[in-house]
């Protein structure tokens, strides 16, 4: 149960953040060619001389760890040492970067032209750049940017070049390497290519880990990778992947370096280039294969306006301080450093906790634009109008009033909000609506989602093609999921208060213990959906209580929650933020209980549940189109697998088949809908 010290929580409003500078301003007023060809002498770790790519490969191939693994592979397979050594060299050749300054200069010139066309501004916190410069000089540095667009890694290198900082070597997927010409250009700008999964390939893992550790230990360049592993199609932060983080922490844990600096970087786009592409992927349209021809076909984006980008370089996080009182490094002295060892449970827990902390740091420094708030309000209005069977949208004045109310609330919750202060609220709202005119329609002073223009469009002179109800639904879902991706950017601000608001709504009474039990259940259920740090349930509950009490929504009298008269508006908004997720999880539970799921495999799950959802939406039994998101469906299945309500069979002909405990799944559906009290016993069992 939460402690009584609810009100001692740190006030989010007290968090100090740096100011920004627009790096495109200078580019608009001076020569791009002079910028690309200027003198570039970056500060390096302990003023080292840069290492050639060929020297780096020799160091890796001659390392004790790789030699040890090569000997192990020879013993296991019976292959000759020369043969395995040649295989290791081929893996490294395929993987390694070939960073060349001439290629960097080419990208600096080209990207200057592209960025000035696409974006109004690229704003960077200069204090963060100064902290990064100091960190690069003192310790090996790992850059951990958020990942919402293909543009991210190009943007990072462009910014570091602009500020005369050492260019990073960047972990990239093999699919980029397959792009003719472009793949090699990326390699020469610092990308090294890795497989999406290694399976049990011991040699590949050894070459990869030794390559990353050699670059890191010797400080030749900052190492950059995406902690989330892939681009977030929903603009929510994804559960962190631990493989690369394990590798970059290893040199410190083994005492090979004094410290490693981890730098979380938050990249916030006012308008995302891939917004419609992501929505279609979430609806089951396959992701286009990366290709050079596809890149040239995408040139039409250059005629669009994508607003501004804010890039915030966070405080460098010392691995040494993270590990203090958490990890006993003496255990690494018991066997030679070059012998690979599987991390123990304590190391796994330490790396996992650190990963969550770093993703939370990314979230906290994300800059929210007015459109994020507008998308949240328009989606909630759309759902309310659906229930009332009305489709007239919101009056522009009413939307502006609600946006100002939500702006003030989000600031009280500690949001990093970029709301233009030099213009009136109505101008700020109109400007945002204009930038996102593909998603909204304004008619007769009213604003609504552009669902009418989403489907059944034909060019002038072309005969109207019949659109089936399912096609119309999926076309409208593209607009709704695109808007939801912007709404999701604000979820980390409202998540904990929203969980508490939903807990108050579903709990069997207003007793603090009952509400806490309900909060704990919901938080546990959604821990695959949102970034909720392991073991921090009480802390999150206290934070939510603090924020709702501070903003006058709740009073806590003798262990009872009392909602104030003015608090109903805020509680209503917060519960509606989570409603699509609650209904999404409920409908997955209903599908697993109602439909014939015998013999259903994990691969068949998403297409089958999508078909079930489409049927229910078209018959009016489901309200939220958002539940068509494959991301939400996969996360709900992951939660049910984690809770033991569904099991995945292993081995034999039934490999990957899902075995459903229908009693438990049905109970979870009822609890999510607030039909059953959340008993302590249920929380303990889950």
């Amino acid at each position: 149960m939460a402690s009584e010290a609810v009100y001692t929580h740190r006030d989010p409003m007290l968090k100090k953040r740096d100011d920004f500078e627009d790096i495109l301003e200078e580019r608009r007023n001076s020569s791009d060619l002079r910028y690309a060809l200027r003198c570039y002498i970056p500060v390096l770790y302990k003023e080292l001389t840069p290492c050639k790519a060929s020297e780096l490969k020799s160091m890796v191939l001659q390392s004790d760890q790789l030699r040890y693994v090569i000997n192990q592979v020879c013993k296991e397979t019976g292959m000759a040492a020369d043969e395995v050594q040649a295989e290791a060299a081929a893996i490294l050749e395929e993987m390694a970067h070939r960073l060349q300054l001439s290629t960097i200069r080419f990208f600096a010139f080209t990207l200057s032209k592209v960025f000035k066309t696409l974006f109004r501004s690229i704003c960077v916190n200069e204090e963060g750049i100064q902290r990064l410069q100091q960190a690069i000089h003192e310790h090996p540095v790992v850059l951990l940017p958020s990942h919402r667009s293909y543009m991210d890694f190009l943007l990072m290198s462009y910014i570091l070049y602009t500020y005369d900082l050492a260019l990073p070597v960047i972990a990239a997927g093999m699919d980029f390497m397959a792009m003719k010409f472009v793949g090699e250009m990326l390699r020469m700008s610092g990308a090294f290519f890795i497989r999406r999964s290694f399976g049990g390939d011991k040699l590949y893992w050894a070459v990869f880990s030794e390559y990353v550790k050699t670059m890191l230990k010797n400080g030749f360049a900052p190492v950059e990778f995406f902690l989330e592993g892939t681009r977030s199609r929903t603009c929510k932060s994804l559960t962190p992947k631990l493989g690369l983080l394990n590798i970059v922490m290893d040199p410190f844990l083994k005492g090979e370096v004094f410290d490693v600096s981890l730098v979380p970087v938050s990249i916030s786009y006012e308008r995302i280039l891939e917004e419609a592409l992501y929505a279609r992927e979430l609806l089951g349209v396959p992701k286009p294969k990366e290709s050079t021809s596809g890149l040239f076909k995408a040139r039409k984006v250059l005629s669009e306006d994508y607003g501004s980008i804010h890039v915030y370089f966070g405080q460098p996080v010392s691995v040494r301080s993270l590990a203090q009182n958490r990890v006993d490094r003496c255990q690494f002295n018991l066997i030679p450093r070059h012998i690979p060892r599987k991390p123990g449970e304590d190391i796994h827990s330490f790396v996992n906790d650190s990963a969550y902390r770093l993703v939370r740091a990314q979230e906290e420094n994300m800059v929210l634009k007015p459109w994020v708030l507008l998308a949240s309000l328009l989606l909630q209005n759309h759902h309310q109008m659906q229930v009332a069977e009305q489709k007239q949208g919101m009056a522009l004045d009413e939307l502006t009033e609600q946006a100002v109310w939500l702006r003030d609330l989000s600031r009280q919750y500690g949001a990093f909000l970029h709301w233009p202060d030099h213009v009136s609220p109505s101008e700020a709202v109109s400007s945002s609506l204009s930038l996102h005119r593909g998603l909204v329609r304004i008619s007769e002073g009213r604003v609504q989602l552009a669902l009418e223009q989403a489907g059944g469009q034909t060019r002038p002179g072309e005969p109207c093609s019949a659109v089936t109800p399912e096609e119309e639904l999926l076309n409208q879902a593209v607009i709704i999921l695109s808007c939801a991706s912007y709404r999701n950017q604000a979820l980390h601000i409202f998540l904990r208060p929203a969980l508490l608001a939903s807990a108050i709504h579903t709990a069997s009474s207003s007793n603090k213990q009952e509400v806490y039990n309900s909060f704990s259940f919901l938080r546990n259920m959604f821990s695959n959906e949102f970034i909720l740090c392991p073991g921090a349930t009480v802390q999150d509950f206290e934070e939510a209580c603090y924020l709702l009490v501070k903003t006058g929504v709740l009073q806590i009298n003798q262990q009872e929650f009392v909602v104030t008269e003015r608090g109903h508006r805020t509680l209503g908004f917060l519960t509606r933020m989570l409603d699509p997720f609650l209904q999404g999880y409920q409908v997955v539970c209903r599908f697993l209980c109602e439909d014939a799921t015998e013999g259903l495999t994990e691969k068949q799950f998403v297409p089958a549940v999508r078909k079930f959802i489409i049927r229910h939406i078209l018959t009016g039994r489901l309200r939220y189109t958002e539940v068509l998101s494959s991301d939400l469906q996969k996360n709900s299945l992951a939660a049910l697998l984690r809770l033991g309500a569904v099991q995945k069979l292993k081995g034999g002909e039934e490999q990957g088949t899902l075995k459903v405990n229908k009693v438990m799944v049905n109970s979870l559906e009822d609890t999510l809908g607030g039909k059953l009290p959340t008993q302590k016993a249920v929380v303990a069992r889950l």
Side-chain angles (χ1 to χ4, degrees), residues 149-163:
S149 171
Y150 275 138
M151 198 63 77
D152 294 332
F153 61 90
L154 295 171
L155 189 61
M156 287 289 292
S157 295
Y158 183 82
I159 291 168
L160 296 189
Y161 179 79
T162 300
Y163 285 102

Side-chain angles (χ1 to χ4, degrees), residues 275 279 371-372 375-376 378-379 436 439-440 449-450 477-489 626:
E275 67 180 27
W371 171 246
V372 170
S376 306
L378 287 168
L379 278 170
H436 296 275
L439 300 178
V440 289
L449 301 182
V478 170
I479 300 292
I480 289 172
L481 289 178
S482 296
C483 284
S485 71
Y486 291 101
R487 186 266 331 269
N488 290 345
Q489 293 179 29
E626 282 179 61

Side-chain angles (χ1 to χ4, degrees), residues 499-536:
L499 284 170
L500 180 54
S502 295
I504 291 168
H505 181 67
T506 57
S508 57
S509 76
S510 58
N511 176 268
K512 190 177 180 182
Q513 179 68 57
E514 288 287 345
V515 172
Y516 175 77
N517 290 344
S518 190
F519 177 92
S520 180
F521 168 80
L522 290 171
R523 187 188 183 280
N524 187 26
M525 196 75 197
F526 286 130
S527 59
N528 294 86
E529 192 71 48
F530 309 114
I531 297 300
L532 293 159
C533 297

Side-chain angles (χ1 to χ4, degrees), residues 83 98 111 120 228 238 252 256 302 323 326 389 546 569 612 614 671 676:
E83 215 177 323
R98 288 199 298 274
L111 290 176
R120 298 174 187 176
E228 297 163 283
L238 304 178
F252 165 75
E256 295 171 297
L302 293 173
R326 281 291 310 268
E389 296 185 350
Y546 172 79
R569 181 182 186 180
F612 178 85
I614 288 171
T671 311
L676 293 177

Side-chain angles (χ1 to χ4, degrees), residues 44 48-59 97 99 214-215 218-221:
L44 295 174
L48 285 172
T49 307
C51 171
K52 290 180 182 175
S54 55
E55 292 171 14
L56 181 62
K57 283 189 269 193
S58 297
M59 291 170 72
H97 76 81
L99 186 62
T214 301
M215 290 189 289
N218 295 287
F220 295 134

Side-chain angles (χ1 to χ4, degrees), residues 49-50 94 115 138 179 278 353 389 404 469 506 523 529 558 641:
T49 307
E94 177 190 64
F115 287 159
E138 292 175 352
M179 296 171 72
Y278 287 168
D353 290 353
E389 296 185 350
V404 169
T506 57
R523 187 188 183 280
E529 192 71 48
Q558 297 180 338
L641 286 164

